[in-house]
Amino acid sequence: MPKRILTGTVVSDVNDKTIVVRVERKVKHPLYGKIIRRSKKYHAHDESNTFKTGETVRIEETKPISKNKTWVVLDKGSEAKAAAE
């Protein structure tokens, strides 16, 4: 089973070796049909404390690292987009 990869924005880097990433998605309202934004926060492992608040990053699902951390940071989101092009 492939691991999920999500792209989001770092909202907190206060903890040691941990960042909090907010991932937004757009969904259609079931009754009214309007497109609305839904977001969820994930705790991700950042071994070297390199990512700061406001940066766009890609995170990958992994085995549980702690009670809340089951994601690890892959790279910056802008670098990933440049590599794909």
Side-chain angles (χ1 to χ4, degrees):
M1 186 168 171
K3 296 180 181 179
R4 291 187 294 168
I5 296 177
L6 301 175
T7 303
T9 307
V10 179
V11 292
S12 174
D13 62 346
V14 175
N15 299 322
D16 188 33
K17 297 185 180 180
T18 303
I19 60 173
V20 180
V21 180
R22 183 179 64 229
V23 176
E24 285 191 349
R25 60 189 179 93
K26 294 181 179 180
V27 296
K28 189 175 182 180
H29 190 278
L31 178 61
Y32 301 115
K34 181 176 178 171
I35 303 298
I36 53 178
R37 291 188 299 179
R38 294 286 181 212
S39 64
K40 187 170 179 181
K41 292 180 185 176
Y42 297 96
H43 292 253
H45 186 67
D46 178 17
E47 184 65 39
S48 56
N49 290 321
T50 55
F51 299 101
K52 302 299 175 197
T53 303
E55 292 182 341
T56 301
V57 295
R58 290 183 349 144
I59 57 176
E60 180 182 36
E61 195 172 30
T62 184
K63 66 180 183 177
I65 299 168
S66 68
K67 178 182 176 182
N68 294 323
K69 278 199 295 188
T70 57
W71 296 82
V72 64
V73 179
L74 290 178
D75 54 7
K76 276 190 164 182
S78 58
E79 292 175 358
K81 289 179 185 175
E85 293 174 353

